[in-house]
Amino acid sequence: MLKINGVPFDGDYFIEHNDNGIKTLGFDIYTDDNAYQECVVEALVEEKLFYLIKEIDDNGKYLRVLCELDLTAFKQYKLLDRTYTNWSIQQMLNYMKMDYTLKGNFKNDNYSLTVKNAHALDYLLEMQKKFNIFLDFDNKKKILTCTYKDQIEYRGLYITEQLNIISTDNQTDSYELITRLYVYGKDNLSMASANGGKEYIDNFSYTNRIICGIHTDSEVDNATRLKEIAKEILEEKSRPSQSFTFKVFNLSKVDKTDYSLKDIKVNDIVKFIDRKRKKESFHRVVKYKEYPLTPTKDEITLSNNKVSSVVAIANASASSVNINNTGNTNVNTSGISQSQVQEMIRSFREDGLIEYKEDGIYIYSGFPKNGAQGIIKIGIDGNNNFIGFSLKSNAMGMNDFKPAYSGMLSINGKNYLCMGGIIFDPSTFI
């Protein structure tokens, strides 16, 4: 239950989760409500976390109230001009965490950062943008959790208009499209020494046109780090910016067992199944507007220019592994019939789930994966690339899969010959 200065409020409200860790809470409250008189700027609002009222719009009949997560603890001290050189992210956060407990699986990489006329919160927000991390603030338990965005994995979340989408707003533009990027660091340092003599890297995954861009970071004095930064930026900028805002019925609040849109968080990877266009794509959640009391009003905003390499790989595989477009297929009936394989392929294309593991790619015919009627696996069998099918929902090793496919197979834009489940590069026979 929501409380305003300790007084219960039973009305509807929303919580907006943003990808910088800042949460906002809003509600309308009428003059006859018991908590009406408590609504003043800077009043404490308690839900699962603590918020402060920051804005009130009074139209005479009710108040429209907007609150923000209470992060006052990080605003108490000013940090005048200061440079942190070759510090790990963990060291920086330990210096800034105030009385919070720091949690996270930290890398050993060192970075540099300059702070000018800022308090700790400014510093933390800048760290998130600069180092591709996400900070979650729990101001009740006093816990600060750090997550590297490139380590966030796909958990099987998906949305589709036939299940949980109420309405869609889609926006696409290419104003910031870049395919060749130059990055320079301290004293005009380039990445050339770590990049075969070239001061730039390319990414032509969307278009083969050369579109140049330049990025500078005067705090970086390492060519290898400059190359890493260039790759991270091009991961976003090498394709058109596309964002979706969905009004969704969050079915997990009705039944957490049967529906996959459950406990969604900002930065989660979500598969959007677009049945009208007969395509599916992976995006990152950049905003989640939650209505705890009325789940039919929930909204999520997805964006493809906020994805990590995990999503980029998923999108590439989803679009390029196209079993239907392979001619002259010959299905081995040893253990699996042709009709069963074709049904698995159809299910994969319409309802499937892709999972990436160390030994290969698993393509489940439906979600949840434990209930899938079939699995396609692309992986390694001894010294050979292998594609196989299985009817076991818990299949793992190659012994569980039948080499039930022969013909031409298109993977990542290149055609391969598949014979008895073994994948060959045709050029090796020339």
Side-chain angles (χ1 to χ4, degrees):
M1 176 181 290
L2 198 69
K3 294 181 180 180
I4 306 169
N5 271 345
V7 179
F9 170 64
D10 295 326
D12 198 15
Y13 63 96
F14 70 82
I15 300 172
E16 187 169 279
H17 308 259
N18 297 288
D19 65 351
N20 62 357
I22 303 298
K23 298 179 178 67
T24 57
L25 184 150
F27 57 88
D28 293 341
I29 183 169
Y30 287 84
T31 56
D32 59 352
D33 195 285
N34 290 335
Y36 181 87
Q37 298 298 330
E38 305 297 330
C39 289
V40 294
V41 172
E42 291 297 299
L44 183 68
V45 175
E46 181 180 358
E47 205 247 0
K48 292 179 181 178
L49 300 174
F50 294 121
Y51 297 81
L52 293 175
I53 294 179
K54 290 295 181 180
E55 184 178 327
I56 298 176
D57 182 7
D58 186 352
N59 70 359
K61 294 182 179 179
Y62 64 87
L63 303 179
R64 178 149 291 175
V65 180
L66 187 63
C67 315
E68 189 174 80
L69 192 65
D70 182 7
L71 297 177
T72 306
F74 299 97
K75 299 179 181 180
Q76 295 177 8
Y77 304 102
K78 269 292 190 186
L79 301 173
L80 300 180
D81 296 4
R82 179 164 183 171
T83 298
Y84 301 88
T85 304
N86 292 327
W87 281 36
S88 70
I89 289 177
Q90 186 175 11
Q91 287 175 314
M92 294 183 190
L93 291 176
N94 270 324
Y95 189 79
M96 290 293 161
K97 66 184 180 63
M98 301 306 172
D99 59 343
Y100 279 55
T101 298
L102 182 63
K103 290 187 176 182
N105 295 318
F106 294 97
K107 300 178 182 180
N108 294 322
D109 301 341
N110 291 333
Y111 304 92
S112 298
L113 184 65
T114 297
V115 180
K116 294 184 177 181
N117 297 324
H119 48 54
L121 183 59
D122 294 329
Y123 178 87
L124 295 173
L125 295 177
E126 181 64 22
M127 284 184 65
Q128 291 187 93
K129 291 190 297 184
K130 195 174 183 67
F131 303 139
N132 201 31
I133 61 175
F134 173 68
L135 299 176
D136 182 72
F137 302 87
D138 186 331
N139 60 8
K140 270 194 174 181
K141 297 178 180 178
K142 293 296 185 72
I143 296 174
L144 176 62
T145 303
C146 174
T147 305
Y148 292 82
K149 290 184 179 180
D150 62 1
Q151 293 181 343
I152 297 175
E153 297 182 349
Y154 177 56
R155 300 191 291 121
L157 300 170
Y158 71 92
I159 57 173
T160 172
E161 67 271 16
Q162 291 188 346
L163 179 63
N164 48 11
I165 295 177
I166 297 173
S167 64
T168 305
D169 180 20
N170 179 9
Q171 295 182 343
T172 306
D173 69 71
S174 62
Y175 292 115
E176 298 184 1
L177 185 67
I178 296 172
T179 60
R180 173 170 292 177
L181 183 63
Y182 296 78
V183 178
Y184 297 101
K186 185 177 181 180
D187 298 327
N188 208 34
L189 175 71
S190 77
M191 71 177 83
S193 62
N195 193 43
K198 294 192 298 184
E199 297 187 359
Y200 61 86
I201 64 169
D202 295 325
N203 187 328
F204 299 119
S205 58
Y206 182 81
T207 176
N208 58 8
R209 292 185 299 126
I210 297 176
I211 307 172
C212 290
I214 298 175
H215 176 80
T216 59
D217 190 332
S218 61
E219 296 167 0
V220 179
D221 57 4
N222 181 284
T224 300
R225 177 57 186 155
L226 289 175
K227 185 177 178 180
E228 292 173 354
I229 292 172
K231 287 182 177 179
E232 291 169 2
I233 294 175
L234 271 186
E235 197 69 64
E236 294 185 6
K237 301 295 185 181
S238 60
R239 56 187 175 277
S241 172
Q242 187 175 33
S243 65
F244 299 86
T245 298
F246 299 97
K247 285 190 176 180
V248 297
F249 184 3
N250 194 338
L251 295 167
S252 69
K253 293 179 180 177
V254 178
D255 188 335
K256 287 186 177 292
T257 302
D258 291 339
Y259 298 105
S260 67
L261 186 66
K262 51 188 174 184
D263 301 328
I264 193 169
K265 302 186 297 292
V266 164
N267 289 308
D268 265 335
I269 299 165
V270 174
K271 179 168 70 172
F272 170 39
I273 302 173
D274 188 345
R275 298 185 189 277
K276 293 179 181 178
R277 297 177 177 83
K278 296 183 179 180
K279 60 185 292 187
E280 55 189 48
S281 54
F282 291 80
H283 302 265
R284 186 175 294 283
V285 178
V286 294
K287 184 184 295 183
Y288 173 33
K289 192 172 185 179
E290 174 191 13
Y291 287 81
L293 303 181
T294 51
T296 56
K297 296 166 65 175
D298 283 7
E299 294 181 10
I300 60 173
T301 301
L302 310 179
S303 178
N304 73 341
N305 67 341
K306 294 286 187 179
V307 299
S308 67
S309 57
V310 175
V311 183
I313 292 171
N315 276 328
S317 298
S319 61
S320 60
V321 179
N322 189 341
I323 299 174
N324 270 353
N325 285 347
T326 55
N328 302 317
T329 60
N330 176 26
V331 179
N332 186 328
T333 58
S334 175
I336 305 178
S337 69
Q338 180 171 349
S339 62
Q340 285 174 313
V341 172
Q342 294 300 330
E343 173 61 21
M344 289 164 58
I345 293 172
R346 183 204 64 76
S347 297
F348 153 61
R349 294 182 61 80
E350 294 185 3
D351 307 301
L353 164 67
I354 300 175
E355 186 174 37
Y356 298 87
K357 300 182 179 180
E358 291 184 0
D359 62 336
I361 301 173
Y362 290 76
I363 307 169
Y364 300 88
S365 62
F367 188 89
K369 63 184 182 182
N370 290 336
Q373 297 302 307
I375 307 175
I376 302 171
K377 179 175 180 178
I378 301 175
I380 302 294
D381 182 19
N383 295 321
N384 296 315
N385 296 306
F386 176 92
I387 180 171
F389 298 83
S390 177
L391 297 181
K392 297 181 179 180
S393 62
N394 59 348
M396 290 292 293
M398 282 301 179
N399 291 334
D400 293 331
F401 291 85
K402 303 292 183 181
Y405 187 86
S406 296
M408 295 302 296
L409 185 67
S410 178
I411 302 177
N412 294 339
K414 185 175 182 179
N415 291 324
Y416 293 83
L417 176 65
C418 189
M419 299 177 62
I422 305 299
I423 301 173
F424 298 94
D425 184 342
S427 64
T428 61
F429 297 105
I430 298 176

